Amino acid sequence: MFGGDASREWHGKAACRGPQAVVFYPPDTGEQSDERQWRETQAKAICNQCTVVVRCLDSAVTRRETHGIWGGTSEAERRVLIDR
């Protein structure tokens, strides 16, 4: 894991595609902590159903993705993985 993913063909198989993608990033207008927690819980529930979640997380960590929910992890959770 975390070796990189040159091919992005997995994007087309991601469960987050479509209108539900809105929960993977905070709104431009900001959000309260309880709203953020609800949004992240919803996004992670979608990730839990996804067949490419491991590839998504691998790609996010490799690219040092700093925004949004990727591979079932938040920014703070990925920071821990990146810092290892």
Side-chain angles (χ1 to χ4, degrees), residues 18-82:
Q20 67 274 18
V22 69
V23 297
F24 287 82
Y25 293 95
D28 292 335
T29 57
E31 62 189 344
Q32 300 291 320
S33 63
D34 60 330
E35 293 169 327
R36 179 184 45 78
Q37 185 176 0
W38 179 87
R39 180 184 53 75
E40 288 183 353
T41 298
Q42 297 302 307
K44 288 177 180 184
I46 294 168
C47 291
N48 286 338
Q49 305 290 320
C50 188
T51 60
V52 294
V53 66
V54 173
R55 293 184 80 182
C56 179
L57 178 57
D58 182 41
S59 179
V61 169
T62 299
R63 291 182 295 110
R64 303 177 79 82
E65 183 62 56
T66 59
H67 300 290
I69 302 296
W70 289 82
T73 62
S74 67
E75 297 97 339
E77 293 163 337
R78 279 193 311 282
R79 217 172 293 122
V80 170
L81 296 173
I82 290 168

